[in-house]
Amino acid sequence: DIQMTQSPSTLSASIGDRVSITCRASQSITYSLAWYQQKPGKAPNLLIHTASTLESGVPSRFSGSGSGTEFTLTISSLQPDDFATYYCHGYKSYPGTFGQGTKLEIK
Amino acid sequence: EVQLVQSGAEVKKPGQSLKISCKGSGYSFDTHWIGWVRQMPGKGLEWMGIIYPRDSDTKYSPSFEGQVTISADKSISIAYLQWSSLKSSDTAMYYCARRRASSGGMDVWGQGTAVTVSS
């Protein structure tokens, strides 16, 4: 079973900051990595798939990079709507594995 | 509009059975994998399993194999998640989600079904 390790678990930042979240896979998943945003009481929302492809409708301040075992989600300039929990999802093997989540808080 | 609509909240007692549903609309239901995800109160997302409605090929996460059953009826565009004997530890929110056809990532999510198991 492939394990996904996400860091940090909590991130405090201010409006306008550039922030990054890292996800590491226990073995290579090539580019089979997605990122989701989840707000309290809501279902997750797909932001990025195939490691770096922005889902339609997602603001361009979100970007993804990486391949193999190490991946990064970057938000270039934090907006008030971005404070939420973020999850990575490795899907090279079915059904896939989520990272533990990163809660992005207002500093 | 492409959407997944899940059945309503459930309150059950330990040992009871339960089947919750996820109805797809606005797209070809049988050509997209549908996955189920558990989220326990205050916790992260956990993959339970995934099914391909066209042929009912199903894959379970090791933690959930034998604990739940995932099925689908492509004729009515519904996927199901069922338990034969609930435990209090099954109390959680359950989401269904559609896997993108051409590459991975779950692009459409149901609204979630809250399951409470309490004596």
Side-chain angles (χ1 to χ4, degrees), chain A residues 26-56:
Chain A
S26 58
Q27 63 190 77
S28 177
I29 56 172
T30 61
Y31 296 92
S32 302
L33 192 284
W35 290 97
Y36 303 86
Q37 177 192 69
Q38 187 181 32
K39 296 183 177 178
K42 299 293 187 183
N45 181 50
L46 177 65
L47 300 174
I48 287 168
H49 64 87
T50 329
S52 61
T53 303
L54 205 62
E55 181 72 351
S56 176

Side-chain angles (χ1 to χ4, degrees), chain A residues 3-104:
Chain A
Q3 307 301 315
M4 306 299 298
T5 303
Q6 200 174 326
S7 61
S9 55
T10 307
L11 181 56
S12 296
S14 302
I15 302 295
D17 283 354
R18 178 184 179 91
V19 298
S20 293
I21 299 168
T22 298
C23 187
R24 289 187 173 87
S26 58
Q27 63 190 77
S28 177
I29 56 172
T30 61
Y31 296 92
S32 302
L33 192 284
W35 290 97
Y36 303 86
Q37 177 192 69
Q38 187 181 32
K39 296 183 177 178
K42 299 293 187 183
N45 181 50
L46 177 65
L47 300 174
I48 287 168
H49 64 87
T50 329
S52 61
T53 303
L54 205 62
E55 181 72 351
S56 176
V58 174
S60 59
R61 62 181 180 272
F62 292 92
S63 64
S65 63
S67 65
T69 61
E70 188 152 339
F71 303 87
T72 302
L73 172 70
T74 299
I75 309 173
S76 60
S77 178
L78 275 173
Q79 299 302 302
D81 193 47
D82 299 339
F83 292 94
T85 301
Y86 294 84
Y87 295 92
C88 64
H89 163 212
Y91 52 81
K92 186 163 180 65
S93 61
Y94 285 81
T97 311
F98 288 108
Q100 304 95 314
T102 295
K103 185 173 183 180
L104 180 52

